[in-house]
Amino acid sequence: MNNDLKITLENILRSRSYTYGLFHKLLGTKMTSDLLQAMTSDGTFETLSVLISEENPFASHFIKFISQYKDLSDQLVDQIGDEYTRLFVGPARLVAPPWESVYTSIDHTLFQLSTLSVRLWYQRYNYEVSTEEKSADDHIALMLHFLSLTTEKSIEHFMSDDSDKTRLILADQKRFIHQHIMSWIEKYTESMQNS
């Protein structure tokens, strides 16, 4: 592999890891001024621009979306934080529950087969959910954190020219995304939009 191609692929992998990590924070913690600054930083825009392609317009759409939040007042940041709590934490009934099992189980409850399946994926890569998380393993933020960390592992293998392990991790990520994110993400986003 020539050096230019290797640099390009490394940049794509690093951008993916950063983006998964950013969404882990956005969907797993209350908005703060620091998180808003990170989300709207030039570094984030540069990182996302690496991922723009005709086949996947998500990055360009997300750049447009976050651009509108570049200079929010502290009051608006607090309002966004309050909305995060209403949508994802409670105490009232959640408008947009952030767990796969709620959307994929017949009775719309937590800790179903999908939760156990996600846990098996985590075990395969020695990913342990912190007891501080206080959430089922199939929480969207945890899944994105898992994808960020496994992307970091793929970068390590890629940089040491172990293409077999790199491909294996990327193939596993693709299966994980298909099985445990794509199966419910549309319903989840509709719940958020309808709120």
Side-chain angles (χ1 to χ4, degrees), residues 14-66:
R14 291 193 187 284
S15 295
R16 284 180 63 184
S17 177
Y18 177 85
T19 304
Y20 287 138
L22 177 63
F23 275 97
H24 162 247
K25 292 290 186 194
L26 291 174
L27 296 171
T29 58
K30 187 175 178 176
M31 179 61 72
T32 64
S33 295
D34 290 342
L35 181 54
L36 179 69
Q37 285 179 346
M39 179 181 81
T40 59
S41 71
D42 291 341
T44 294
F45 291 120
E46 289 172 22
T47 299
L48 289 170
S49 68
V50 170
L51 300 175
I52 294 174
S53 71
E54 286 183 26
E55 301 86 35
N56 184 5
F58 168 77
S60 60
H61 293 307
F62 188 61
I63 288 171
K64 287 179 191 173
F65 174 76
I66 62 176

Side-chain angles (χ1 to χ4, degrees), residues 127-145:
Y127 176 72
E128 292 185 29
V129 176
S130 167
T131 55
E132 294 173 10
E133 294 289 343
K134 298 177 186 166
S135 186
D137 293 16
D138 60 346
H139 190 290
I140 187 67
L142 294 175
M143 289 195 263
L144 292 165
H145 189 235

